[in-house]
Amino acid sequence: MPVSIALRPFLLGALLLSPLACSSPSMPASTTRAASPAIDLSRFMGPWHVIAHVPYFGERGHVASRDEYTLRPDGRIAVHYVYQEGFTEPVRTLDSKATVKADSGNRRWTTWFFGVIPTKFNILEVAPDYSWALINYPGRDLAWVFARSAEVSDAQYSQLLQKMRGHGVDTSKLVRVPQLKEQVGQPGFAAPKQP
């Protein structure tokens, strides 16, 4: 099946990023501490709203975006990314699969786009009740704040940024992703691709 025109820029970008993903340094000691409990994959499954991220071509301008994870019988994870390019625009999706690195405490994942393009990410920290998660791309180039709820208070967001800084992430590059129409134009929120 040919790749649709809409996905070609994403595919090109993923191809450009894949050498970086394969050659990135391993996680620093701060995220692989023996004291850190392993991520419970069954609890991590389900929908995660993208509350904030370091913008890059693959997600720039998206609103109401979320990742939905489903554990497959073969041990891999189905990844269903849902987004809009504006609140009046159609809902779009992108499906991929992920594998979890053995002996990483379920923290190091490789996501496979189109079945062949690998990108890596690390789960830095998860709330005890799995209500939020902090994610980064190896090398600290990209980062995400996930939450089960579409809305996170300013106070909680500030606390999550502080935790992110504790993991060595440059939080000055993070911008909030509008999950609700009324967040568009508010300070700290990214602009949608389409009005």
Side-chain angles (χ1 to χ4, degrees):
M1 173 190 296
V3 177
S4 75
I5 292 172
L7 290 178
R8 284 182 185 159
F10 181 80
L11 176 58
L12 177 61
L15 284 170
L16 294 173
L17 278 178
S18 62
L20 294 174
C22 296
S23 64
S24 294
S26 59
M27 286 195 317
S30 66
T31 61
T32 58
R33 299 184 284 252
S36 296
I39 302 298
D40 181 337
L41 284 182
S42 63
R43 291 186 71 190
F44 197 83
M45 297 299 103
W48 288 98
H49 297 274
V50 182
I51 300 302
H53 66 157
V54 174
Y56 76 104
F57 67 90
E59 292 181 48
R60 188 174 286 117
H62 293 179
V63 300
S65 57
R66 69 184 184 275
D67 281 307
E68 298 172 353
Y69 299 111
T70 305
L71 193 57
R72 298 177 2 170
D74 64 4
R76 293 181 181 175
I77 297 165
V79 182
H80 186 66
Y81 177 63
V82 181
Y83 67 99
Q84 292 173 266
E85 293 185 343
F87 283 99
T88 60
E89 297 297 308
V91 173
R92 298 175 184 230
T93 63
L94 179 64
D95 290 316
S96 60
K97 64 182 175 185
T99 55
V100 179
K101 181 171 173 48
D103 76 354
S104 71
N106 295 328
R107 292 176 178 275
R108 296 176 69 187
W109 294 26
T110 300
T111 303
W112 298 88
F113 291 98
F114 308 106
V116 295
I117 303 165
T119 58
K120 297 184 184 286
F121 75 84
N122 304 324
I123 302 172
L124 300 172
E125 189 173 345
V126 177
D129 63 357
Y130 282 66
S131 61
W132 54 259
L134 306 178
I135 313 287
N136 86 322
Y137 185 97
R140 302 293 182 260
D141 301 313
L142 299 173
W144 295 263
V145 175
F146 284 0
R148 296 295 192 182
S149 171
E151 260 188 296
V152 170
S153 70
D154 291 341
Q156 184 178 22
Y157 182 67
S158 293
Q159 291 172 351
L160 294 175
L161 289 185
Q162 185 175 353
K163 288 177 180 291
M164 234 356 165
R165 283 190 291 273
H167 290 285
V169 174
D170 180 359
T171 59
S172 69
K173 296 179 181 179
L174 282 165
V175 295
R176 294 176 82 169
V177 175
Q179 290 289 333
L180 306 170
K181 190 172 184 176
E182 54 269 22
Q183 293 171 329
V184 174
Q186 294 297 315
F189 284 88
K193 195 172 210 174
Q194 301 294 330

